[in-house]
Amino acid sequence: MAAEIVNPRSDIGTDQDGGAEPLDSFDPVFALHRGGKMAVQATVPVRDKDDLSLAYTPGVARVCTAIAEQPELVNDYTWKSSVVAVVTDGTAVLGLGDIGPQASLPVMEGKAILFKQFGGVDAVPIALDCTDVDEIVETVVRLAPSFGGVNLEDISAPRCFEIERRLQERLDIPVFHDDQHGTAVVTLAALRNAARLSGREIGQLRAVISGAGAAGVAIARMLVEAGIGDVAVADRKGVVSLDREDLTPVKRELAGFTNKAGISGTLQDALKGADVFVGVSGGTVAEEAVAAMAEGAFVFAMANPTPEVHPEVAHKYAAVVATGRSDFPNQINNVLAFPGIFAGALQVRATRITEGMKIAAAEALAAVVGDDLAADYVIPSPFDERVAPAVTAAVAAAARAEGVARR
C-alpha cells in the first residue's frame, strides 16, 4: 500500500454546489485529498508471459493448493501476515461525531498511510454501513481471513468495548481499538517521564481523568496496571463511584478498580490535591480547579482542537503540560503507538495484544526520550525515527514472553 502525495486524477469532482470550480482550486486540504491519499502497489513485476504465469495462472494454483493443505502457509505466501484492516462504522469520527461511513473514509485513509509511513505496515480502510454490534462483529469475522490484524477506529462507546471483546474472543489475530489503547499507551509513556522528571514514582501519584468513554476507561485501566497510586474518573454527572445508581455496566466495572480514596462529587472536587489531570472529554475545566491541584502537578489536556485546560492557564500551576495538539510541546498522539504495536505483533504473528504488550510499548516509548528529558519534552515526536523500531521490538519481545507469539 503506497501513499500518493500527488494524484493524477486531478480532473475529478466539482464544488459541493455542483459548480464548475473544484474545491481544491482554493483549498490545499482538498487538493491533497483529491482522488484519495493511497493506492495499491505491486511488489512483484509482471513484465511478460513468464512473470504472468508465476504471479497468476498457472503458477498461483500451486501456492493455493499448498495453503489448502497447510493453512498456516498463508502467512508466508500472501500478504495476510503483514496487513491490517482499519475498521469503522463512522459513529465517533475525530471530534466530528456520528458522520457515517462514507464521511469517515478520509480519516481511515489517513490512518492507513500513518501505519505505512511510521510502522511499515500495510493497512486497508474498511468503512461499514452498519452500527449494530452483532452485524459489525459478524462482518469483521468474515473479512478476517484476509488480514493479520484488525484496528478498530472511531466506533462510539459503549459499543466499542463489546465489539473489541467479542472479536478478540472469536479471532486468532490481534484486535486493537486504537481510540482506547493507543491513547492509553502514549498517556502512560508521557506520565512515566513526567514522574521521572519530578523525581517521583507513578505509585506516588493520584490522577483524575475527565471522560469515561473509550479513551478514559482504557487510560484508567492502564494506569492501574502500571501501578498508579490512585485514579478517579469523572463523567458528565461527576466522579464514577460505586455509590451511583446510574452507571452502565462498563462504568460499574470501572468504578470497581478505580477511586480507592472513595471520592464523590464533581470533577472539580476530585481535582483538589490531585497530582495528575488527564482530559479526554472536551469541555472546559475552570482555572480555580487547576489551581487547587497539588504543587508540581501534571496537566494532560488532550481534547482537540480545544484542550480542556489551555496551556497558558495550565503552565501557571503545572510542572508538565501536554495536549493532543501538534502546535504545543508534548503532543499525546496515537501515531506514536499503533504503528509499532501492530508491527511488533505482526512480526511474531501474535494471536492478540495483551496488557503486557501495551505496557511494554509505553515503556519503550518513554525510554526514547532518554537523557533529553525536560518539562517540554516528556514524549518524543512522531517524526523521531527511533520510535517505531523501539516500540516494535518491545511489543514483539513481550508477546513472546506472554506466550501469544507464534514465531
Side-chain angles (χ1 to χ4, degrees):
M1 200 68 63
E4 295 292 321
I5 305 304
V6 178
N7 196 295
R9 293 172 285 179
S10 58
D11 59 337
I12 300 173
T14 58
D15 66 23
Q16 52 192 309
D17 296 320
E21 186 175 14
L23 289 166
D24 54 18
S25 65
F26 55 88
D27 190 327
V29 172
F30 280 88
L32 183 142
H33 282 77
R34 178 170 289 280
K37 299 191 291 286
M38 55 191 295
V40 173
Q41 178 176 293
T43 60
V44 297
V46 183
R47 298 160 298 194
D48 51 37
K49 65 182 182 65
D50 292 332
D51 288 344
L52 183 61
S53 69
L54 291 173
Y56 199 53
T57 186
V60 73
R62 292 168 56 190
V63 180
C64 294
T65 301
I67 294 171
E69 294 173 352
Q70 300 181 61
E72 67 277 7
L73 293 179
V74 70
N75 293 299
D76 296 309
Y77 296 105
T78 73
W79 78 338
K80 174 182 169 67
S81 65
S82 60
V83 67
V84 171
V86 181
V87 179
T88 190
D89 63 359
T91 56
V93 181
L94 296 179
L96 304 174
D98 186 354
I99 60 174
Q102 291 191 111
S104 77
L105 271 175
V107 178
M108 300 309 114
E109 287 184 2
K111 195 80 173 190
I113 65 174
L114 295 180
F115 264 111
K116 187 66 174 179
Q117 176 163 336
F118 293 104
V121 173
D122 289 318
V124 177
I126 298 176
L128 301 180
D129 190 15
C130 61
T131 58
D132 178 77
V133 170
D134 290 338
E135 290 183 358
I136 291 173
V137 170
E138 291 302 322
T139 301
V140 176
V141 167
R142 283 162 172 72
L143 289 169
S146 295
F147 300 98
V150 175
N151 183 91
L152 300 174
E153 189 75 20
D154 292 350
I155 299 174
S156 63
R159 296 175 311 115
C160 59
F161 301 111
E162 183 178 0
I163 290 168
E164 183 187 44
R165 176 184 60 79
R166 287 172 56 180
L167 284 173
Q168 192 61 85
E169 287 173 353
R170 294 185 59 179
L171 300 176
D172 65 348
I173 57 176
V175 179
F176 185 85
H177 185 211
D178 187 51
D179 300 324
Q180 293 182 62
H181 310 302
T183 306
V185 165
V186 184
T187 301
L188 176 58
L191 184 57
R192 282 196 181 280
N193 275 339
R196 179 164 69 94
L197 182 67
S198 68
R200 288 177 285 178
E201 300 291 334
I202 283 185
Q204 298 174 270
L205 304 177
R206 179 171 73 84
V208 176
I209 299 172
S210 175
V217 171
I219 292 169
R221 189 180 299 279
M222 182 159 283
L223 293 185
V224 169
E225 288 280 344
I228 191 83
D230 196 10
V231 56
V233 183
D235 61 11
R236 292 185 181 88
K237 296 181 180 180
V239 176
V240 176
S241 57
L242 289 172
D243 59 356
R244 281 177 47 180
E245 297 181 356
D246 62 342
L247 300 180
T248 64
V250 170
K251 290 182 182 179
R252 183 154 295 279
E253 181 185 2
L254 175 66
F257 65 84
T258 60
N259 195 17
K260 292 186 294 187
I263 297 170
S264 59
T266 66
L267 171 68
Q268 188 160 335
D269 293 328
L271 282 173
K272 293 175 183 175
D275 302 293
V276 184
F277 168 75
V278 177
V280 284
S281 65
T284 301
V285 176
E287 181 172 345
E288 55 265 31
V290 182
M293 294 178 68
E295 185 177 354
F298 313 141
V299 171
F300 294 178
M302 298 188 286
N304 267 316
T306 306
E308 294 89 347
V309 183
H310 193 279
E312 289 183 3
V313 174
H315 277 298
K316 294 180 184 180
Y317 311 101
V320 176
V321 177
T323 72
R325 289 173 45 156
S326 59
D327 54 346
F328 292 112
N330 296 328
Q331 184 189 17
I332 308 292
N333 190 330
N334 288 12
V335 75
L336 289 162
F338 70 81
I341 289 173
F342 266 101
L346 294 175
Q347 184 181 97
V348 298
R349 296 180 189 166
T351 57
R352 61 191 305 110
I353 294 172
T354 65
E355 290 300 314
M357 292 162 71
K358 288 179 274 188
I359 288 176
E363 291 174 346
L365 182 56
V368 169
V369 171
D371 293 337
D372 296 324
L373 180 64
D376 62 354
Y377 185 56
V378 297
I379 199 76
S381 162
F383 296 99
D384 188 324
E385 295 181 355
R386 299 171 297 171
V387 168
V391 173
T392 298
V395 169
R400 291 190 177 103
E402 298 208 338
V404 296
R406 284 179 284 204
R407 72 169 186 178

